[in-house]
Amino acid sequence: MAAAGEEAVAAVLAELEKLGGELSEPQRAACDAPMVRRYLAARGGSVQKAARMLLATLKWREEFGFGTLSIAEFSGTASLQSGRMYVAGNDPSGKSVLVTRKRADAFQPSESASYLRYLAFTLETCARAMQGGQEKWVWLMDMRGYSRANSPPLGVSMATLRILADHFPERLHRCFFIDAPSIFSFLFNALWPFVDPVTRGKIVFINSKEHSKHVDAVAAAGSDSTQREEALRLAADPADPDAFCNYIRWYCAPYDEAAFRTLLQRVGWQ
C-alpha cells in the first residue's frame, strides 16, 4: 500500500511537470507527498485529474499572492482584532480547531478582497497548526447574529467555497453550524448544490440550547480552572469524539488575540 502510494505521488508530480513545465523550488516544497495524496483523494485517485487540480492551485497561489501573506498585513485590522475567524488550538487528536463568529457590522463590498486574503491566511494557519500527523480541521461556525447585512455577498461566499474545495481539499473533518437562524437557509440553499456530497456529510447543524446545561456550567466556572475542567469533562462524550459536546471548550472560550498571535508565530508566519 505504501509503495503504491509513493508511485501514485510520483506519477502526479510527473504529470504536473508535463502540464505546467518544471516546478520552481517553492512549488516543489509545497507539493509534498501528503499534499499530493489529498489531491489524489479529492479526485478519486485519478493521476491526471489530481495533477490538473494541483496545477490550478499552484497558479492560484501565484496570482493570489499567497506567498506575500503575513501577520503584518492584518495587524490593526478588525479581522485579527475581533476574532471573527481564528485558530483556537488543537483537539486531543491533533486536529486544528477553527472558529468563526458572525460579525455585528455590515459587510462592505470594498472589503471582499481583504476578507478572502484573511480567509486564505487563516486556513493556511489551520493547516500548519496540525499536530500528531493530522491533516484535517474541525470548524465551529457560530452563527448567532447572522443577518443579510453582515453576511458576505453571494459572490464572496461562492469564492470562499472555491478556495476551500479547490485549494484546500480533504482538509475538513467536521463543520458545526451553531445557532444558524432561519434566514441563513436562503444563503445555504443557494450554496448547497455547489457543495460536494462528501463535504455535505461533514456538516452538522447545532442548536446550542440543547447543550445549555454544559455551556452554562462552563460559563459559571469562570476563571476557576478546576471547575471549568470538570464541567468540560461532564459535557464530553468519549464514545463519539466527533460530537459537538467535545468542542464546547473552544465554543465557550473567548477570543484571545495575543494567544492567536503567538500561534501564528509558532507556525512560521512573519
Side-chain angles (χ1 to χ4, degrees), residues 169-188:
E170 298 298 311
R171 284 297 198 183
L172 181 66
H173 177 73
R174 184 79 73 219
C175 178
F176 295 105
F177 280 96
I178 307 160
D179 294 335
S182 57
I183 193 174
F184 176 69
S185 63
F186 291 102
L187 174 63
F188 193 79

Side-chain angles (χ1 to χ4, degrees), residues 18-169:
K18 287 181 183 178
L19 294 171
E22 186 175 356
L23 300 179
S24 66
E25 285 304 315
Q27 288 175 330
R28 286 184 179 278
C31 297
D32 58 12
M35 182 176 186
V36 174
R37 291 191 184 101
R38 287 194 298 274
Y39 279 69
L40 275 167
R43 288 298 178 261
S46 169
V47 168
Q48 290 74 22
K49 291 180 179 179
R52 286 196 293 271
M53 184 183 188
L54 189 49
L55 179 61
T57 290
L58 295 177
K59 290 182 176 179
W60 169 77
R61 288 190 174 210
E62 290 183 358
E63 295 168 359
F64 189 80
F66 196 85
T68 66
L69 292 170
S70 67
I71 300 175
E73 178 176 345
F74 306 104
S75 290
T77 66
S79 294
L80 192 57
Q81 292 177 336
S82 68
R84 293 169 180 168
M85 184 188 305
Y86 61 98
V87 182
N90 301 86
D91 70 8
S93 70
K95 298 181 187 71
S96 291
V97 179
L98 176 59
V99 177
T100 299
R101 302 195 192 275
K102 285 310 298 179
R103 54 193 290 171
D105 55 320
F107 191 99
Q108 303 299 323
S110 60
E111 62 184 302
S112 296
S114 60
Y115 167 83
L116 293 175
R117 284 185 64 78
Y118 187 70
L119 170 71
F121 174 76
T122 311
L123 294 178
E124 177 64 15
T125 301
C126 244
R128 294 184 185 186
M130 305 289 184
Q131 296 179 355
Q134 291 287 349
E135 296 185 34
K136 297 180 182 292
W137 54 61
V138 173
W139 201 332
L140 307 182
M141 300 195 72
D142 186 350
M143 304 299 290
R144 289 175 299 175
Y146 173 90
S147 69
R148 291 183 184 274
N150 63 21
S151 176
L154 182 60
V156 175
S157 297
M158 290 295 296
T160 296
L161 278 182
R162 287 194 294 271
I163 288 174
L164 287 164
D166 297 344
H167 308 307
F168 292 89

Side-chain angles (χ1 to χ4, degrees), residues 185-206:
S185 63
F186 291 102
L187 174 63
F188 193 79
N189 289 336
L191 297 176
W192 193 246
F194 301 97
V195 180
D196 71 83
V198 174
T199 300
R200 292 178 188 179
K202 299 176 181 179
I203 296 174
V204 181
F205 282 84
I206 296 293

Side-chain angles (χ1 to χ4, degrees), residues 207-220 231-232 234-235 248 252:
N207 184 339
S208 66
K209 290 182 179 179
E210 297 176 0
H211 302 269
S212 59
K213 173 183 175 182
H214 299 300
V215 171
D216 292 345
V218 173
L232 291 169
L234 293 173
I248 287 177
C252 291

